[in-house]
Amino acid sequence: MSETDYPSDTLQDFTPEPAEPRRIVVLISGNGSNLQALIEAQEHDRLGGEIAAVISNQPDAYGLKRARDAGIDAVALPHREYESREAFDGALIKVIERHEPDLVVLAGFMRILTPRFVQRFLGRMLNIHPSLLPAYQGLHTHARALADGVTEHGCSVHFVTEELDGGPVALQAEVRVDRTDSEDSLKDKVQAREHLILPIAVNWFLEGRLKLAGDAVTMDGTPLPATGMRLSHDDAAEELDEDD
């Protein structure tokens, strides 16, 4: 046997330890329909990780039931039990870090976050917002869009920064606004797109493809435009099997 010939039995018998799945903590305040989209993506191995916990500032949030039904740790942390926003965010940080997440996802979490909280998870916290940011930051986005008579609306996944709904955008999806649309019908169309793009963005982040680099977002190392990557109305409708 030469110096370069080695028995291969050891290598053949070696079984590498499976890598631990990337961990996600989801924050909600209500129904949790975007949480459900994440749960379903996880069940079909399309999320790239596992939801370790769901936390709600509203103890009666239906999303907590969705989490429990899926076997996910569901935590109620009522914000009204804390004397200040800072005290609540401090407690929330402790609960989140107990689950050692790689990513925090705000999926309908209706709280303005303190700078301390944002800085703790900066670069690993995503939010879904029901508008094509930077348009219509804040609340009542669908009513405002209809009042302005826009023909195009949608939703955005963005990294969370200290500016409310102002963090760099990663992914958007457009929806065409019809003259017959009401606030409810427009909300339904936008929510369908939210459920489409949020799991995609989470998957890209957990795969290391989507990153926050300073004030910009990169995809596979390439800086994205200010609107991030954007699905047109037609592309989104095709993905959702919508009929025109």
Side-chain angles (χ1 to χ4, degrees), residues 72-91:
I72 298 168
D73 191 10
V75 182
L77 192 69
H79 66 272
R80 293 181 180 85
E81 295 182 1
Y82 294 84
E83 62 183 12
S84 67
R85 191 176 298 277
E86 289 74 16
F88 173 76
D89 277 10

Side-chain angles (χ1 to χ4, degrees), residues 122 125-127 133 156-163 165-171 211-218 224-228:
L122 187 66
M125 182 160 52
L126 295 173
N127 180 50
L133 292 171
S156 307
V157 177
H158 67 96
F159 281 92
V160 178
T161 63
E162 293 184 28
E163 180 184 355
D165 298 329
V169 175
L171 182 60
K211 296 180 180 180
L212 179 65
D215 295 329
V217 179
T218 62
L224 296 180
T227 55

Side-chain angles (χ1 to χ4, degrees), residues 13-76:
D13 293 341
F14 175 72
T15 302
E17 290 292 328
E20 289 292 329
R22 309 297 297 277
R23 295 169 63 82
I24 309 154
V25 168
V26 183
L27 306 186
I28 64 168
S29 292
N31 179 57
S33 66
N34 274 302
L35 166 65
Q36 188 63 44
L38 295 174
I39 291 172
E40 291 173 6
Q42 176 179 307
E43 291 173 345
H44 291 88
D45 295 324
R46 291 186 287 104
L47 197 59
E50 66 176 19
I51 303 170
V54 174
I55 306 170
S56 176
N57 64 304
Q58 298 288 358
D60 59 349
Y62 185 71
L64 291 174
K65 181 180 185 302
R66 294 182 189 269
R68 288 190 291 267
D69 289 348
I72 298 168
D73 191 10
V75 182

